[in-house]
């Protein structure tokens, strides 16, 4: 059983947030969100997600999102809570150090002192089948893009080489000039596509968010 002392409240809300909002006792990791920002969190949440109070209070819950997070499911979860007052979902989220985990979440809407707060509690799911399914949902698009970029690079390279050879065979006075331009364009395109794919692979885990910029 938790006490109110287990909660850290964001500075501007210390005397504003009603006690009723943080009176929900739960052993699970929990946060309170208002206007898209985390305004309170409990010790269990900090322990699970790895953020301290200064790194999460006043920030969007999106600090937990990364490549494997299904943005569609996250948006649907938010919309359902706003429309019906409560919802639950399983999302792939990330700890501060980049570890992906399956987050079983339940959120309810609380009206207090003329403001709307969203109380969200959750816990990590350890079932291996669920983990594989959840972590695959968000990562498919990035993996598909990486593969597509590689195939496209090879295709453009082959087309470029064929064009250069064809232009060299032509008797047109500008054939050498055109061949050089074509070769240069192919090199630039391939290099750009490879750089994009490399960045995508390097960010394959948690996409770190600049904690100096609040949402």
């Amino acid at each position: 059983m938790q006490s109110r002392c287990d909660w850290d409240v964001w500075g501007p809300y210390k005397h504003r947030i009603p006690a009723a909002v943080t009176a929900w006792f739960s052993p699970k990791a929990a946060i309170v969100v208002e206007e898209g920002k985390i305004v309170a969190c409990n010790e269990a949440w900090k322990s699970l997600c790895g953020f301290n109070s200064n790194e999460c209070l006043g920030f969007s819950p999106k600090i937990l999102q990364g490549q494997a997070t299904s943005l569609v499911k996250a948006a649907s979860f938010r919309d359902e809570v706003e429309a019906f007052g409560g919802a639950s979902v399983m999302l792939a989220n990330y700890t501060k150090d980049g570890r992906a985990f399956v987050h079983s979440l339940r959120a309810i809407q609380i009206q207090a002192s003329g403001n709307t707060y969203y109380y969200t509690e959750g816990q990590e799911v350890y079932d291996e089948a669920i983990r594989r399914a959840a972590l695959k949902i968000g990562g498919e698009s990035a993996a598909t893009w990486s593969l597509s970029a590689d195939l496209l690079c090879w295709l453009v390279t082959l087309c470029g080489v064929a064009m250069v050879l064809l232009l060299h065979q032509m008797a047109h006075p500008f054939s050498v000039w055109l061949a050089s331009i074509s070769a240069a364009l192919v090199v630039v395109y391939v290099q750009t596509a490879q750089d994009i794919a490399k960045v995508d692979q390097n960010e394959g885990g948690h996409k770190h968010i600049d904690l100096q910029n609040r949402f």
Side-chain angles (χ1 to χ4, degrees), residues 46-51 55 62-69 92-102 124 131 135 201-209 211:
K46 291 189 294 182
S47 177
L48 171 63
C49 301
F51 292 90
E55 295 169 332
K62 291 180 182 178
I63 58 175
L64 297 181
Q65 293 182 0
Q67 182 177 336
T69 305
N93 275 332
Y94 291 80
T95 63
K96 178 187 173 181
D97 62 7
R99 181 181 69 86
F101 69 100
V102 179
E124 183 171 358
R131 278 179 48 81
L135 295 177
Q201 289 172 355
N202 289 341
E203 294 183 349
H206 183 44
K207 294 186 177 179
H208 298 287
I209 297 173
L211 292 177

Side-chain angles (χ1 to χ4, degrees), residues 4-98:
R4 184 171 169 78
C5 295
D6 290 324
W7 288 88
D8 288 337
V9 181
W10 189 25
Y13 285 77
K14 284 188 182 295
H15 303 293
R16 172 182 166 186
I17 187 169
V21 175
T22 51
W24 292 84
F25 298 128
S26 170
K28 298 179 180 178
I31 57 174
V32 176
V33 176
E34 200 258 347
E35 294 184 350
K37 294 182 176 66
I38 300 173
V39 298
C41 64
N42 66 6
E43 292 296 326
W45 188 91
K46 291 189 294 182
S47 177
L48 171 63
C49 301
F51 292 90
N52 62 43
S53 300
N54 293 331
E55 295 169 332
C56 67
L57 295 179
F59 292 84
S60 165
K62 291 180 182 178
I63 58 175
L64 297 181
Q65 293 182 0
Q67 182 177 336
T69 305
S70 171
L71 301 184
V72 174
K73 288 182 68 176
S76 297
F77 175 58
R78 180 197 62 225
D79 293 343
E80 189 174 344
V81 175
E82 291 179 351
F84 304 108
S88 59
V89 72
M90 280 193 187
L91 282 176
N93 275 332
Y94 291 80
T95 63
K96 178 187 173 181
D97 62 7

Side-chain angles (χ1 to χ4, degrees), residues 156-186:
V156 172
T157 301
L158 290 175
C159 290
V161 170
M163 182 180 295
V164 170
L165 292 176
L166 178 62
L167 290 173
H168 269 296
Q169 296 299 319
M170 295 172 60
H172 196 283
F174 294 107
S175 61
V176 175
W177 179 77
L178 291 173
S180 300
I181 295 296
S182 299
L185 290 175
V186 168

Side-chain angles (χ1 to χ4, degrees), residues 138-149:
E140 282 182 339
S141 58
T144 300
W145 156 248
S146 181
L147 178 60
S148 299

Side-chain angles (χ1 to χ4, degrees), residues 86-155:
S88 59
V89 72
M90 280 193 187
L91 282 176
N93 275 332
Y94 291 80
T95 63
K96 178 187 173 181
D97 62 7
R99 181 181 69 86
F101 69 100
V102 179
H103 209 174
S104 177
L105 296 163
R106 181 181 70 90
I108 59 172
Q109 188 181 104
I110 302 173
Q111 299 289 339
S113 301
N115 296 309
T116 302
Y117 298 92
Y118 298 92
Y119 173 88
T120 304
E121 65 177 17
Q123 60 186 356
E124 183 171 358
V125 176
Y126 294 98
D127 183 274
E128 192 57 35
I130 295 176
R131 278 179 48 81
R132 284 198 302 269
L135 295 177
K136 182 180 178 182
I137 289 175
E140 282 182 339
S141 58
T144 300
W145 156 248
S146 181
L147 178 60
S148 299
D150 288 340
L151 292 175
L152 192 57
C153 284
W154 281 107
L155 180 60

